[in-house]
Amino acid sequence: MTRPAPAGLSSFALRTRAFADAPVASLLVALLVAVAAFLAVVAPRVVEALHTEALRTRLDTTSPIETDLVATSGGQPQLGPPVTTTTLDPRIDAVFGAQEEHLRAIRDALPEPLRRATDDPLAIVRADPLVADVPDSPPSSPIYRVQLTADPRQGEHFTLRDGAWPVPLPAPPMPEAPDPNDPSTWSGFQQAEPIAAPLEIALAADVADAMDWSIGESRLVSLTNGTLEVRLTGTLDAVDAADRMWKHQPTALQASVLDDGLGPIRYWGQAFVDPGSWAALAPQPIPIELRAWLPIDVDAVRAADSAALVEQIGEVESTFYPLDDSESGYGTSFGRWMTVGSVSFSSGLATILDEQAAESAAVDAVLATVASGPIGVMVAVLVLGSRVVFERRRGGLELAEARGAGGGWLTSSLLGEGLAIGLPAGLAGGAVAVALTADEQTSGGWLVAAVFALTPAVLLTASVSRLSPLRRSRTDLGANAGRFRWVWESLVVIVAAASVALLVGRGPTAAAGVDVLLAAVPLLLALVGCIVVLRVYPLPLRALTRAAERGRGLVAFLGAARALRDPSAGLLPVLAVVVGVTVAVFSSVALATVHDGAIAAAETEIGADASLASAPLTRDQLAGLASVPGVEAIGPVYSTAPTTVEIDGQRRTATLIVVDVAEMREVQAGRTGVPDLPDVLAREASEGAPVPVVVSDSVAESIAGGGEVAMNGSPIDVVGTFPGASPFAPRTNWILIDLANARPFADVLVPRQALVRFTPGADTGAAAAELLRIARGSFGVWKSVVPELRTPADAASELLDRPNARGLAAGLMIAISLTTGLATLALVLALVVGRPARARLLPLLAVLGLGRRGERALVAWELAPIVAVAVAVGVGLGVLMPYAVLPGIDLTGFTGGAVQPAIVVDWPFVAAVAVGAILVAGAAVALASTGRRSSAARGGRAEEEG
C-alpha cells in the first residue's frame, strides 16, 4: 500500500513552492512572451491600418472622376415611374424612377467588398453647351454657354438662395415606338416642334454672378428647330460644396472662363431645370449626355480588399448593365430619340489600387527586413531567460532526481512551468493588441504569437538532459568546440551568400505580401557576423592573456582568461549585439536614403526655386512677376494640352508642354534633376521639316523602333529624353517643344504655371508674397482658383508626410528602440547566467584581497572584448547591408521619383549608434554588478558542491 504524500509535499505543491521561491526569472520570461505576442499580433494590424490610411489619403486627393464607377451615354434616360417606390421625391419618381430603380439594382448586384465600397448611385442628364445670347448685346460682348441639366436629386443637393425654383414644363404625349415595317409610323422621326413657353432654370449663385445673369432675365438659345427662351428664376447654394459629387459637374458651382486674348471672353455654366421638364426637352434637337456613377466611399475602402476590388472592377468594366426595359439591350426608339439601353461602367480605381499596393509592398519589404532582426533578438532573449529559469530550478530538480524522481516527472515539471509562463502571457499580449486595434481584421500574427507562447515550454523541456552536478563547459570556442561547428558555420555563410546574390540579381520588386528572401537576408548576414565575431575575438584575447601573464596585475590576466573560457558570452548575446547594432545602422541608412531621395524628387518636381500655379496669367501679370524684387527670372509654361502621337499609323495620347527654351534655361541654370533643353530644341522648324522635341522615357519607348512618327500629323525629331514626370506637368507621358514651334500644335498659349528663380540672398518670403498678390490680382470670375507657390522644400515635406512614409519612419525608429532594449536585456541575462561561476570565484578572490572595483572589472571583462568586436562587425554589416537589400525594394513610392534613390549613409548617426552600444554594454555590466557581496564561506561551499 502506497503511503500518501504528506500535506504540502505533493507533486503540485512542490512545484508551486519551487516557483514561489524564485519567481522573478519566470515572471520576466512571461513579460517577454507577452511583449513578443503583443508585437506579433499588433504589428500586422497596425501596418494594415497604415496601408488603409495611405490608400484613403490618396483616394481623397484623387478626383472622383478617376475613382468612381462611371457610365456615360448619348441616349436619353428611360422616363417613367419605377415598379417599386424609390427614395426620390414622389413627383420626380414619376419621371426618373425607372432609371433610379435600374441603377440601384446594378449596385445591389455588385459583389462584396465592391458593393460596400460604393455609395448610392447618382445620375444627371446634361445637354452640350448651348450659346445663351443676351438680347441686343454688341458683337464684342462675352459669350455665355449653358448646359441644361436635370438632376433627379436637385432638391437634396441645393438650397434656394434667391428667387424661386424652376417650374416644370408640361410633358408632351409620349410618341409610340415606330414599326420598322410600317412607313406610316415613321413620322416620329420628324423634327420636334419648338418649345413655346420659356424654360425656367436656376443657376448656382457664383455662376449667375460670373455670367451677369439677373433673376427674371431671359436669354435666347438657338436650336435647329427654332429659338428657346431660357429664363433665370432663382439662384442656388450647394448643400455641401465640398462633396466629391461636384467633381462630376465642374461647371455646376463655378463658371468656366476662357480669356485667350484672341476674342470675347467665353463662359460655361450648368443651368438646372426642374427634373420634370426633361420629358419636354427629350424630343428637342439638343445633344445630351446621360452620366451615371456609383460613388466610391473612400472611408469604406480597405487596403486588405485591394486585390479583390481590382478583380471585381475588371468584371464590372467588362459587363453591360441595362438602364431600360428593352429586351435587346440597345434601348427603345421613340422616333426622335432613343433610350440608353445598356451601359458599361469604367473606373481608374483599379490602377490606383495597384499603384498603392506596390507602394505598400515596399513598406512591407523594408519593415520585414528590419523586423527579422528584432525577432531573432527576441528569440535569443527568450532562450537566455529560459536558461535563467532553468538555472533557478536546477538545484531542486537535481535533488529530486537524486531522490528517485524519474525523467517523466522532471520533464512534466519543466513543461508545466513553461506552459504556465507562456500561454497566459501570450494570450494576454495578443488580447491587448486586438483591443488596441479593434478596427482591423488581420489575424496572421496569432501564429507567431502562439510560437512565442510555446517557446518557454519547449526550451525548458529541452533542458532536462542538462541536469547534472557537473560544471558546464563552453562549446563555441577552443578545444571544446563541437566537431560540427565548421559545418554549420560554412552552411550559414553559403546560404547567406546565395541569398544576397539572388537578391542583388533580382532587382527591385513590388510584389504583395512579405518577401521571404528580403526578410531572411538581414538575419542570415547577422548570423555570419556572429560567426566572424566568435572566430575573431579570441585572437586578440589570447595575445592579451599572454601579455597580462607577464605582468603583475591579476584583474587583466584573469579577466582575459575567463573571457576565453566562461560561457557568459556565447552565441546568443553576440547575436543580440550584432543584430541590434546592424538594425540601428541599417535603419538610419534607410531613413537617410528615403529622406534624400524625397528631396531629390522634390527638386525634380518643382524644377526651380519655386513654382507658381495660377489661373490664366496675362502678359501684364507675367511682366509684373518678372519685375518683383528678389526674382531673377521666370519661366512660364505656356501650355500643357493633350496631343496625339502617331507611330506607324497607331495613335497614342500625350501631354504637349510648351515653354520658351531660353526663358526656362535661365530659370533652371545650375540645377540637377531637370530635363536638359539643348540648343537645337529652340530651333524654329521650317515648313514640313521635323519639329525638335524632348520627350519622356515612356514616349521614347513607345516610338523606339517605329518608322514614321508624327504629332498631330507633323513629323517630330526627338532630341532628348527624361525619365518620369517633368516640372511642367504631372503626367509621365509628355512631349516638350519650344514656343517658336508651338502654334500649329496648340490653339491657346496662355500660361497657368510659371517657374521662378530667386536672386541669391533675396528675401524670398517677401518675394513669394508679392508673386501671389500679382497672380491673385486680376482673377475676376476666377473666384475658386487660388494661386499656389510651392518650393522644393514644400514638395519634399508633402512627400515625407504621406502615411506610408511616416509609418516607415516610425517603424524603423521602433525597431531601433526595440532591438536596443532587447540587446541590453540579453547582455544582462548572459551575465546572470554566468553568475553561479562568479559566485564561486569572487568570494575566494575577495579573501585574497580583491576589492569591489576589481570585481566589477572582472564582470566587465566578460563582455567588453566580445561587445567591442560585435559592435564593429554590426556597424560594418549595417553600412553594407543596404547595398544588398535596398536595391531589391522599390523605394520610388516613398520618394515620388522616377528612379531608385542613391543610398545615403548618415555617418554621425552611425557613430552615435556605436557609442550607444558601448554605453548599453556598460549599463548591462552595472546592472549585473549590483547586489550584495558573497562571503568566502558561501563561495567555498558552492565550490565544493560543484
Side-chain angles (χ1 to χ4, degrees):
M1 181 175 177
T2 303
R3 298 179 63 182
L9 294 180
S10 66
S11 176
F12 177 77
L14 288 174
R15 293 170 183 173
T16 304
R17 291 175 64 181
F19 176 82
D21 182 58
V24 175
S26 298
L27 293 176
L28 176 62
V29 174
L31 178 61
L32 287 172
V33 171
V35 171
F38 171 80
L39 294 175
V41 175
V42 83
R45 297 168 75 90
V46 169
V47 170
E48 194 62 46
L50 173 69
H51 294 338
T52 297
E53 181 189 359
L55 175 59
R56 291 175 180 173
T57 299
R58 180 165 183 173
L59 293 178
D60 271 331
T61 57
T62 303
S63 171
I65 295 176
E66 297 185 42
T67 60
D68 292 347
L69 289 162
V70 181
T72 59
S73 173
Q76 294 282 351
Q78 177 181 344
L79 302 178
V83 175
T84 59
T85 304
T86 70
T87 58
L88 293 175
D89 178 90
R91 184 177 64 84
I92 308 303
D93 201 34
V95 180
F96 282 97
Q99 175 183 267
E100 178 76 8
E101 190 172 45
H102 283 293
L103 288 173
R104 287 186 171 271
I106 292 171
R107 180 181 181 247
D108 291 341
L110 294 178
E112 296 291 355
L114 183 56
R115 186 188 183 283
R116 184 176 64 249
T118 58
D119 272 333
D120 291 335
L122 295 171
I124 59 170
V125 190
R126 181 171 56 195
D128 287 359
L130 303 169
V131 176
D133 290 321
V134 178
D136 303 322
S137 60
S140 60
S141 298
I143 298 174
Y144 303 105
R145 288 186 170 89
V146 294
Q147 292 180 276
L148 302 177
T149 304
D151 179 0
R153 298 190 179 274
Q154 180 173 291
E156 301 173 22
H157 298 153
F158 285 107
T159 58
L160 186 68
R161 176 187 286 192
D162 294 310
W165 290 99
V167 174
L169 291 172
M174 184 69 70
E176 295 291 335
D179 183 353
N181 300 316
D182 185 359
S184 64
T185 65
W186 296 357
S187 60
F189 289 100
Q190 297 175 359
Q191 190 157 256
E193 294 294 327
I195 297 174
L199 175 63
E200 295 188 356
I201 63 169
L203 296 172
D206 287 344
V207 176
D209 289 344
M211 292 189 166
D212 196 21
W213 201 330
S214 303
I215 293 176
E217 178 187 351
S218 293
R219 296 185 182 180
L220 304 178
V221 173
S222 296
L223 303 177
T224 57
N225 66 341
T227 300
L228 175 65
E229 180 184 350
V230 179
R231 180 179 299 163
L232 180 64
T233 63
T235 58
L236 310 173
D237 287 321
V239 172
D240 181 7
D243 195 310
R244 292 167 61 86
M245 166 195 71
W246 299 116
K247 297 294 184 181
H248 289 275
Q249 307 177 66
T251 59
L253 305 183
Q254 188 75 42
S256 177
V257 186
L258 177 61
D259 182 7
D260 56 9
L262 303 178
I265 301 177
R266 285 156 278 181
Y267 297 85
W268 288 264
Q270 283 182 230
F272 291 89
V273 302
D274 185 279
S277 295
W278 202 259
L281 289 172
Q284 297 299 309
I286 304 174
I288 64 105
E289 175 194 61
L290 169 63
R291 186 178 188 87
W293 67 96
L294 299 174
I296 294 298
D297 182 1
V298 173
D299 292 333
V301 178
R302 298 172 59 249
D305 298 331
S306 292
L309 288 173
V310 169
E311 181 179 354
Q312 291 169 3
I313 289 171
E315 294 175 357
V316 169
E317 290 181 328
S318 61
T319 303
F320 283 89
Y321 296 91
L323 279 188
D324 78 343
D325 296 326
S326 63
E327 296 181 0
S328 66
Y330 295 107
T332 302
S333 172
F334 290 97
R336 306 182 188 96
W337 77 92
M338 289 188 64
T339 57
V340 170
S342 297
V343 295
S344 63
F345 290 83
S346 62
S347 172
L349 179 60
T351 301
I352 295 173
L353 292 173
D354 284 336
E355 293 175 352
Q356 194 61 37
E359 182 178 319
S360 296
V363 176
D364 293 342
V366 176
L367 294 181
T369 299
V370 175
S372 62
I375 290 173
V377 178
M378 179 65 78
V379 172
V381 172
L382 282 175
V383 173
L384 286 170
S386 299
R387 283 179 60 183
V388 172
V389 173
F390 175 74
E391 292 299 329
R392 293 291 185 271
R393 306 288 177 259
R394 176 192 283 269
L397 293 173
E398 288 177 345
L399 179 61
E401 184 179 19
R403 293 182 175 181
W409 188 92
L410 298 174
T411 300
S412 64
S413 178
L414 290 172
L415 176 63
E417 182 164 0
L419 293 176
I421 291 172
L423 292 182
L427 287 173
V432 172
V434 171
L436 293 177
T437 56
D439 292 338
E440 300 303 317
Q441 302 175 4
T442 303
S443 58
W446 278 105
L447 179 60
V448 179
V451 172
F452 280 124
L454 295 174
T455 297
V458 173
L459 293 173
L460 289 176
T461 304
S463 301
V464 172
S465 61
R466 298 168 55 200
L467 289 173
S468 170
L470 298 178
R471 186 179 188 274
R472 290 166 290 142
S473 61
R474 189 164 179 161
T475 59
D476 60 336
L477 289 176
N480 291 329
R483 67 178 63 182
F484 297 109
R485 179 178 175 185
W486 280 102
V487 175
W488 77 261
E489 288 180 346
S490 301
L491 183 62
V492 169
V493 172
I494 291 171
V495 172
S499 300
V500 171
L502 287 173
L503 192 60
V504 173
R506 186 184 65 180
T509 181
V514 175
D515 191 320
V516 177
L517 182 61
L518 270 173
V521 163
L523 194 56
L524 288 171
L525 291 178
L527 289 174
V528 171
C530 293
I531 293 171
V532 171
V533 172
L534 294 175
R535 286 291 183 182
V536 168
Y537 98 93
L539 302 179
L541 271 182
R542 291 192 180 98
L544 285 174
T545 303
R546 288 192 295 269
E549 187 178 5
R550 294 189 295 271
R552 300 181 61 182
L554 172 66
V555 172
F557 170 71
L558 186 59
R562 293 189 72 249
L564 283 171
R565 299 192 305 270
D566 195 274
S568 297
L571 173 64
L572 297 177
V574 171
L575 176 67
V577 174
V578 170
V579 170
V581 174
T582 301
V583 167
V585 174
F586 173 84
S587 298
S588 72
V589 174
L591 287 173
T593 299
V594 170
H595 181 270
D596 286 18
I599 291 175
E603 292 282 352
T604 297
E605 179 185 347
I606 301 301
D609 292 340
S611 176
L612 176 67
S614 169
L617 295 166
T618 65
R619 292 187 179 91
D620 290 341
Q621 285 178 298
L622 291 176
L625 296 176
S627 63
V628 169
V631 172
E632 184 174 325
I634 66 167
V637 180
Y638 291 95
S639 179
T640 54
T643 190
T644 303
V645 182
E646 298 96 21
I647 308 166
D648 290 335
Q650 296 184 350
R651 294 174 174 266
R652 175 182 175 136
T653 59
T655 298
L656 175 64
I657 301 170
V658 179
V659 300
D660 186 304
V661 170
E663 292 176 342
M664 201 58 67
R665 290 174 69 175
E666 183 180 2
V667 169
Q668 297 182 327
R671 303 192 75 87
T672 58
V674 296
D676 181 31
L677 306 179
D679 294 336
V680 67
L681 183 63
R683 183 194 68 216
E684 187 171 355
S686 57
E687 186 176 353
V691 177
V693 299
V694 171
V695 301
S696 64
D697 277 355
S698 61
V699 174
E701 291 173 5
S702 66
I703 66 179
E708 298 181 2
V709 180
M711 180 172 64
N712 290 352
S714 299
I716 60 174
D717 177 22
V718 177
V719 298
T721 62
F722 186 76
S726 73
F728 319 116
R731 299 190 179 276
T732 56
N733 54 325
W734 51 266
I735 300 175
L736 185 146
I737 63 175
D738 184 66
L739 182 62
N741 296 314
R743 184 54 67 185
F745 307 102
D747 296 328
V748 179
L749 296 172
V750 179
R752 294 171 178 256
Q753 178 187 2
L755 273 57
V756 181
R757 183 184 184 92
F758 293 120
T759 304
D763 184 351
T764 57
E770 182 63 12
L771 290 170
L772 291 172
R773 187 194 66 79
I774 294 173
R776 194 183 296 112
S778 58
F779 271 30
V781 298
W782 294 90
K783 297 178 181 179
S784 64
V785 182
V786 178
E788 181 183 17
L789 189 75
R790 298 173 69 234
T791 65
D794 297 330
S797 178
E798 292 168 6
L799 288 171
L800 295 173
D801 194 48
R802 294 186 300 178
N804 273 342
R806 287 188 284 108
L808 176 67
L812 294 178
M813 295 307 297
I814 291 173
I816 293 174
S817 303
L818 184 61
T819 51
T820 300
L822 290 174
T824 304
L825 185 57
L827 293 176
V828 172
L829 290 175
L831 291 172
V832 172
V833 169
R835 180 174 290 177
R838 290 194 302 275
R840 292 190 296 268
L841 175 63
L842 293 180
L844 299 178
L845 293 176
V847 172
L848 299 176
L850 183 68
R852 291 300 298 266
R853 179 177 297 180
E855 291 181 7
R856 286 192 292 268
L858 284 176
V859 175
W861 267 102
E862 294 184 29
L863 291 181
I866 200 167
V867 167
V869 179
V871 168
V873 172
V875 168
L877 278 176
V879 171
L880 296 176
M881 191 185 296
Y883 293 93
V885 173
L886 292 184
I889 303 172
D890 185 4
L891 297 177
T892 57
F894 302 112
T895 64
V899 296
Q900 281 281 89
I903 294 175
V904 178
V905 179
D906 187 350
W907 289 110
F909 191 93
V910 171
V913 168
V915 173
I918 301 299
L919 294 177
V920 163
V925 170
L927 288 173
S929 301
T930 57
R932 63 186 178 89
R933 194 174 188 181
S934 299
S935 67
R938 183 178 296 153
R941 286 196 302 271
E943 185 67 28
E944 290 174 0
E945 293 171 1

